[in-house]
Amino acid sequence: MMMLQDGSTQLICLTASSGVPLFTRGASRQLPFSVIGSLNGVHMFGGGQGVVLSSCDTDGGGKVVWRVFLDSVMLIAVSGGGPSGSCGTEEETRLQRLLENVWSCMVLVLGQDELTNVRNVERLKRDLRSCFSLIDQLLEEKQGYLGNLTHCADSLLPSSSILLQEAVDGFAQAADSEFGCLVVHGRIATATEEWWRQLVPQEIVLLSALIRTLSASGSASCDYPVFLPQFSPTVAHRLLRFQLLPGADVCVLCGSTPSLHKAGTELVGRFWSPLVETLRNCLALGDRCLPGSISLRPDVLALLLINRETRRSVSCLQNSSHHPPILSKARCWELLKLFYTFSISRYFTQEERTQRDITEDFLLGFSHQPQQCYLVTEECKCYALQTPQHQLYLLVMPSVPTFALGTLATQTLSDIVAPTGF
């Protein structure tokens, strides 16, 4: 049975105990209520027999993934089939990450208590609407942002990092906070030490997505309550966001003080007015995310670089000199995500491996931990390199000799890390 169109994903949220639907998001062609009931019923039947049903494939090439959180909420992701080039293993990895992110998003906005102590289902349905814009962003998987998939913070590497770091540290301290960050084009340009040290990577990814959503609303500033899924799931913090320039926002997580008005009128100008030109230069990097002093080999189409220790990542496409381009931007992002899920599903150690890991049997076939892998396709060649500190994923032109891919990857990694210290 083909339940959805190829490439589309529908998310279903129900109460775990009674199977009452709370919301559905995603594909324009929604599943019939009878199908939703069957998906819930088969999971409940398995649970009654002592079997945990986590995923299955459909006859039409789609996939269904179930997950119950804290015996309170069941999330079901239904895919009409992965993007062109993906297979079941990669698609399941993507859907499992999606369910984890959606649950954490619900905790971020409503708090864990609201989701686990449900007294009024109709009220919960209404409250969950405040999560929809953020959940929709997770489902859309906008081009250029890979943090939802990698659970690493999408970052930008400015050339004036020291000046910006000092400003963020000073602004956060003046706002009685240890948690502050500067977001440029939806990516973190710099943040306080505690932002990186105390918040878990998934929290940082979701906060970045929330900041993008709030920034897109057009408001110059906002005071938004958030629950941090790991750090503080039951006690809300205030997220203060201020637009410095279009595309550049500074944020702090704080307690009851300062007021939004005081922070906006007294602190923003003091710390950020002297840095207007620096911010403009940072904005000029655009989607490249790398300082202008770093030049990539012309045969590199796209890259994703992850710092495994800090759980930060930078990703970018390189403008092609070919007319028309070898690959469209949309296809480059799609292939980069597919290659990432291919690599972590089959070869590389995932930092967040669990007992439910779908790749365990495959990895047991290796007597060593793979450090490199590659794919050769008609559209491009893909190469991944893993070191103790980094993972690098490259898309390169098909004309690059396969034997040269390792050298190209090693050189690219050095060209970025050496000058930036990333």
Side-chain angles (χ1 to χ4, degrees):
M1 176 179 64
M2 173 60 76
M3 294 192 290
L4 297 173
Q5 294 179 345
D6 287 348
S8 61
T9 301
Q10 184 165 138
L11 177 74
I12 304 162
C13 179
L14 312 97
T15 58
S17 57
S18 57
V20 175
L22 297 174
F23 67 81
T24 60
R25 307 298 293 175
S28 56
R29 177 191 167 194
Q30 294 195 356
L31 295 173
F33 182 78
S34 59
V35 174
I36 295 176
S38 298
L39 292 175
N40 177 56
V42 70
H43 186 276
M44 292 182 67
F45 177 79
Q49 305 302 313
V51 176
V52 176
L53 178 60
S54 61
S55 69
C56 76
D57 298 317
T58 71
D59 291 340
K63 185 169 284 288
V64 183
V65 174
W66 291 262
R67 186 88 176 266
V68 175
F69 295 88
L70 299 183
D71 295 324
S72 175
V73 170
M74 176 189 289
L75 290 174
I76 307 173
V78 183
S79 167
S84 175
S86 71
C87 69
T89 304
E90 286 80 49
E91 183 67 354
E92 183 167 350
T93 299
R94 182 184 74 85
L95 294 177
Q96 291 286 7
R97 290 280 171 99
L98 173 64
L99 296 189
E100 293 170 15
N101 291 334
V102 170
W103 166 253
S104 294
C105 161
M106 293 161 63
V107 174
L108 183 80
V109 176
L110 297 181
Q112 186 171 291
D113 288 344
E114 186 83 6
L115 298 168
T116 55
N117 301 316
V118 181
R119 296 179 179 86
N120 188 317
V121 173
E122 292 304 316
R123 179 184 172 186
L124 178 59
K125 286 182 181 180
R126 290 194 298 270
D127 291 344
L128 282 168
R129 293 173 187 169
S130 58
C131 305
F132 286 175
S133 60
L134 193 51
I135 290 174
D136 290 345
Q137 188 183 147
L138 297 176
L139 283 165
E140 289 170 9
E141 297 184 332
K142 290 186 177 180
Q143 296 177 17
Y145 304 113
L146 303 181
N148 299 342
L149 181 63
T150 64
H151 283 181
C152 298
D154 290 299
S155 304
L156 178 146
L157 305 181
S159 53
S160 305
S161 57
I162 296 178
L163 290 174
L164 296 174
Q165 184 69 57
E166 291 175 349
V168 166
D169 290 340
F171 180 76
Q173 185 177 9
D176 298 324
S177 173
E178 295 181 317
F179 302 90
C181 72
L182 173 67
V183 177
V184 176
H185 293 310
R187 299 176 175 88
I188 297 180
T190 189
T192 60
E193 181 180 351
E194 293 302 299
W195 184 277
W196 297 120
R197 192 170 71 87
Q198 299 248 25
L199 303 180
V200 302
Q202 189 187 31
E203 290 174 336
I204 297 174
V205 168
L206 290 176
L207 284 170
S208 299
L210 177 61
I211 292 166
R212 289 196 294 269
T213 299
L214 296 172
S215 182
S217 70
S219 63
S221 63
C222 64
D223 186 340
Y224 196 93
V226 294
F227 299 82
L228 301 171
Q230 298 293 325
F231 186 66
S232 178
T234 58
V235 178
H237 289 68
R238 295 167 63 217
L239 175 67
L240 302 186
R241 180 197 66 86
F242 301 93
Q243 184 186 76
L244 305 176
L245 291 171
D249 299 272
V250 65
C251 306
V252 292
L253 287 171
C254 60
S256 58
T257 59
S259 68
L260 181 68
H261 176 74
K262 179 179 180 180
T265 56
E266 298 181 15
L267 304 183
V268 172
R270 187 206 312 177
F271 288 96
W272 297 103
S273 291
L275 295 180
V276 170
E277 285 306 313
T278 303
L279 289 170
R280 287 199 178 107
N281 292 335
C282 195
L283 285 162
L285 293 179
D287 293 333
R288 192 170 186 269
C289 302
L290 300 172
S293 58
I294 295 178
S295 59
L296 301 175
R297 285 273 300 269
D299 38 21
V300 173
L301 300 173
L303 67 83
L304 165 63
L305 174 60
I306 292 173
N307 186 310
R308 301 175 66 192
E309 294 180 357
T310 64
R311 301 300 290 166
R312 297 177 64 192
S313 71
V314 290
S315 56
C316 67
L317 307 185
Q318 186 159 226
N319 292 328
S320 174
S321 58
H322 293 260
H323 299 284
I326 293 176
L327 294 172
S328 68
K329 288 186 177 181
R331 183 58 177 162
C332 273
W333 284 120
E334 184 179 39
L335 289 172
L336 194 58
K337 287 188 287 188
L338 286 171
F339 183 53
Y340 170 80
T341 53
F342 170 84
S343 301
I344 66 165
S345 298
R346 296 171 178 271
Y347 299 105
F348 292 164
T349 299
Q350 298 182 51
E351 271 64 18
E352 302 165 12
R353 189 173 303 285
T354 68
Q355 292 180 352
R356 298 168 48 259
D357 196 323
I358 57 178
T359 68
E360 186 173 348
D361 291 340
F362 185 89
L363 291 173
L364 287 175
F366 292 101
S367 60
H368 64 287
Q369 173 61 53
Q371 302 300 314
Q372 304 174 48
C373 66
Y374 71 93
L375 281 175
V376 176
T377 73
E378 294 180 354
E379 295 177 279
C380 65
K381 291 182 179 179
C382 312
Y383 194 89
L385 172 67
Q386 178 169 254
T387 71
Q389 188 172 357
H390 295 97
Q391 285 179 350
L392 176 66
Y393 302 86
L394 283 181
L395 302 186
V396 302
M397 294 183 182
S399 57
V400 176
T402 302
F403 67 81
L405 292 174
T407 302
L408 174 59
T410 303
Q411 185 62 51
T412 300
L413 179 62
S414 175
D415 288 344
I416 297 174
V417 173
T420 63
F422 180 75

